[in-house]
Amino acid sequence: ERDQIRSNLKEIYERESRVLREAKESAVQELDRERSRTAEAKQAHQALLTSHRDMETKLSNQVVEARSQLKIKLFELDRVSLQWEEAMAVQGADKMEKDGLVRKLEMLKQEYYKIDGEGVKKNSMLAARCEEQARRIRHYEQLEKELDMAILESGAAKDTASSDQMAVVLSLIHISEPTRLLSISYAVFCLKKKKQTTYN
């Protein structure tokens, strides 16, 4: 029976030893797999850290560039605002100048119409005066013709009384119508000379 028990114990021991060895081998394989997974996880973590650092650096550079662009845009906005204010001021000044020029133009138009009306009146008056002067000139020309005829007739007259009467008429014409003073004075002189010659 002892041998039987020893044999059973030995079988049990060998079976447990075999199970333990298999469990150990399985645990060692699992440990190796876990170590491999841990190494892979560490590599992935390191890669993620590197990517995260690169991303942070890139984002930081983008933020710096965006801030720089924002400053530039703000400066341009301020410059455009100043230009707009200046343009509005210039536009206001131009509008005021335009209004002043429009008022001045209206005043000049009114003055022009007034001067034009006065010019029309003056032209009418001058035309009337010219017409009057033309009428007087025609009248004077007629008088000159009559005077020429009278001078000729007085020169040809032999009667002293007629000559004296003609001299008086010429003297009156000489006083009242100073158109041909030289001719009339000469005619009067001739008549007086003729009268003196006749008396002598």
Side-chain angles (χ1 to χ4, degrees):
E1 291 179 356
R2 287 181 181 177
D3 292 336
Q4 182 73 28
I5 292 170
R6 287 179 181 174
S7 177
N8 290 334
L9 289 173
K10 186 178 180 180
E11 288 178 357
I12 292 169
Y13 174 76
E14 289 178 352
R15 188 167 52 250
E16 288 180 355
S17 296
R18 189 171 53 252
V19 170
L20 289 174
R21 281 196 300 272
E22 290 176 354
K24 180 182 177 182
E25 291 175 357
S26 177
V28 169
Q29 291 177 357
E30 185 68 24
L31 179 61
D32 293 336
R33 286 195 295 271
E34 288 296 328
R35 285 177 178 172
S36 298
R37 285 197 293 270
T38 301
E40 291 176 356
K42 285 182 178 180
Q43 290 178 356
H45 179 68
Q46 190 67 32
L48 288 174
L49 287 176
T50 304
S51 178
H52 179 68
R53 292 192 192 96
D54 294 338
M55 185 65 68
E56 282 184 346
T57 303
K58 185 176 180 180
L59 289 174
S60 178
N61 293 331
Q62 289 179 353
V63 168
V64 171
E65 185 178 359
R67 287 177 178 174
S68 299
Q69 292 292 329
L70 180 61
K71 289 181 180 179
I72 293 172
K73 295 297 181 183
L74 289 173
F75 177 75
E76 291 180 354
L77 180 61
D78 293 337
R79 183 172 58 84
V80 170
S81 298
L82 291 175
Q83 290 179 352
W84 181 78
E85 291 176 357
E86 291 177 356
M88 292 300 294
V90 171
Q91 184 178 2
D94 291 340
K95 186 175 183 300
M96 292 177 64
E97 185 178 1
K98 177 186 174 183
D99 294 338
L101 290 174
V102 168
R103 289 192 296 271
K104 187 175 181 181
L105 179 61
E106 291 298 327
M107 292 175 62
L108 290 174
K109 282 183 178 180
Q110 293 176 2
E111 186 175 356
Y112 168 75
Y113 292 146
K114 181 180 178 181
I115 293 173
D116 186 59
E118 292 177 355
V120 171
K121 291 180 180 178
K122 287 182 179 180
N123 288 332
S124 300
M125 293 174 64
L126 289 174
R129 289 180 63 184
C130 288
E131 183 65 26
E132 178 65 21
Q133 293 294 331
R135 186 187 63 77
R136 293 182 66 182
I137 289 171
R138 289 193 297 271
H139 177 64
Y140 291 154
E141 289 177 350
Q142 183 65 29
L143 288 175
E144 287 176 359
K145 291 179 181 179
E146 293 177 357
L147 182 59
D148 290 337
M149 293 297 296
I151 291 170
L152 293 174
E153 289 176 359
S154 66
K158 295 181 179 180
D159 189 5
T160 304
S162 299
S163 297
D164 293 338
Q165 186 179 1
M166 185 59 65
V168 173
V169 172
L170 289 175
S171 298
L172 292 174
I173 294 173
H174 175 76
I175 295 170
S176 62
E177 296 292 342
T179 56
R180 291 178 64 184
L181 300 180
L182 186 59
S183 299
I184 298 172
S185 298
Y186 181 70
V188 172
F189 172 76
C190 291
L191 288 173
K192 288 181 178 180
K193 190 72 175 176
K194 184 177 180 182
K195 183 177 180 182
Q196 290 176 1
T197 302
T198 303
Y199 286 157
N200 291 332

